[in-house]
């Protein structure tokens, strides 16, 4: 650490150069002492660290040995305990299996008996239901036969009525068609008469025009012959 101030009395005694030299000397001495102190502290620290490391290594080795011994003993005890537990569980499992087999056998016998009783009751109930359904089916069939017979009779009556209506309508339609046919025949007859009259007129006109045509042709021919022989 540098010296910043010097007492006034000492400065007056030594002068400025002496003060500067004194300050430099003191700084160098302080620096040297600090280096020596740091070296000593560093050596002590390294020695202490080495001692502590050796003690820790020794303690770690002792603890590792002790833990290994303890682990071996614990493993041995656990193996023995596991063997005992496995044996006990095997015995318990055998007893449990035996009890379960007995219980299963009892339950199977009980269920078989219950199943037989249930099957017997169901057979009886099915027989009763079949008989009831057969009776109901017979009654339903009888009612349906009666209803079908009634519907057939009603339909026969309705068909007869509809057939009579259709016959009447056909008769009326035939009479109407006959009247229409007679009217058409009369119309055709009148049209044929008119066509005959028109054809007679056309025939007379055709004969007249043919006569005029041939007379003209004959006159032309006579004129040509007359001109030729003249």
């Amino acid at each position: 650490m540098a010296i910043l101030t010097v007492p006034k009395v000492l400065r007056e005694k030594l002068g400025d150069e002496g003060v500067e030299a004194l300050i430099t000397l003191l700084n160098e001495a302080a620096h040297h002492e600090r280096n020596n102190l740091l070296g000593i502290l560093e050596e002590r620290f390294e020695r202490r660290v080495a001692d502590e490391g050796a003690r820790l290594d020794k303690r770690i080795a002792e603890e590792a040995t002790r833990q290994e011994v303890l682990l071996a003993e614990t493993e041995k005890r656990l193996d023995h305990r596991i063997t005992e537990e496995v044996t006990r569980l095997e015995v318990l499992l055998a007893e449990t299996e035996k009890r379960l087999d007995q219980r299963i056998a009892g339950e199977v016998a009980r269920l078989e008996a219950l199943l037989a009783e249930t099957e017997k009751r169901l057979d009886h109930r099915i027989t009763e239901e079949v008989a009831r359904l057969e009776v109901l089916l017979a009654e339903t069939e009888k009612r349906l036969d009666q209803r079908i017979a009634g519907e057939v009779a009603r339909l026969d009556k309705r068909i007869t009525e509809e057939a009579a209506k259709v016959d009447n309508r056909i008769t009326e339609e035939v009479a109407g068609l006959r009247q229409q046919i007679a009217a058409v025949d009369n119309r055709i007859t009148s049209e044929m008469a008119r066509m005959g009259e028109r054809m007679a007129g056309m025939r007379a006109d055709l004969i007249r025009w043919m006569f005029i045509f041939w007379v003209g042709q004959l006159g032309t021919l006579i004129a040509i012959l007359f001109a030729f022989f003249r």
Side-chain angles (χ1 to χ4, degrees), residues 15-123:
D16 293 335
E17 293 180 358
V19 170
E20 293 295 333
L22 180 60
I23 290 172
T24 302
L25 179 62
L26 292 175
N27 287 332
E28 290 178 356
H31 182 69
H32 182 68
E33 289 296 329
R34 185 175 60 188
N35 290 333
N36 290 333
L37 181 61
L38 289 174
I40 293 170
L41 291 175
E42 185 176 356
E43 290 177 359
R44 289 181 179 179
F45 181 75
E46 289 178 355
R47 186 167 56 253
R48 186 170 181 180
V49 168
D51 294 338
E52 291 294 331
R55 284 198 299 274
L56 287 174
D57 290 337
K58 183 178 179 181
R59 186 172 180 180
I60 289 170
E62 292 176 354
E63 287 293 329
T65 303
R66 189 173 66 83
Q67 292 295 330
E68 289 177 356
V69 173
L70 182 61
L71 182 62
E73 293 176 355
T74 303
E75 185 177 0
K76 185 177 180 180
R77 287 197 302 272
L78 289 175
D79 289 336
H80 181 68
R81 186 173 180 181
I82 289 170
T83 304
E84 292 177 352
E85 290 294 328
V86 168
T87 304
R88 186 177 66 82
L89 290 174
E90 288 177 352
V91 174
L92 182 62
L93 182 62
E95 294 176 355
T96 304
E97 185 177 359
K98 185 177 180 180
R99 287 196 301 272
L100 288 175
D101 289 337
Q102 294 176 356
R103 186 173 179 181
I104 289 170
E107 290 294 328
V108 168
R110 186 178 66 82
L111 290 174
E112 288 178 352
L114 182 61
L115 182 61
E117 293 177 358
T118 304
E119 185 177 0
K120 185 177 179 180
R121 287 197 302 271
L122 289 175
D123 288 337

Side-chain angles (χ1 to χ4, degrees), residues 153-182:
R154 186 175 64 81
L155 290 174
D156 288 338
K157 183 178 179 181
R158 186 172 179 181
I159 289 170
T160 303
E161 293 175 354
E162 293 294 332
K165 291 179 181 179
V166 171
D167 289 336
N168 293 328
R169 187 170 180 180
I170 290 171
T171 303
E172 293 175 356
E173 292 292 333
V174 168
L177 289 173
R178 286 177 179 176
Q179 292 177 0
Q180 291 180 4
I181 291 170

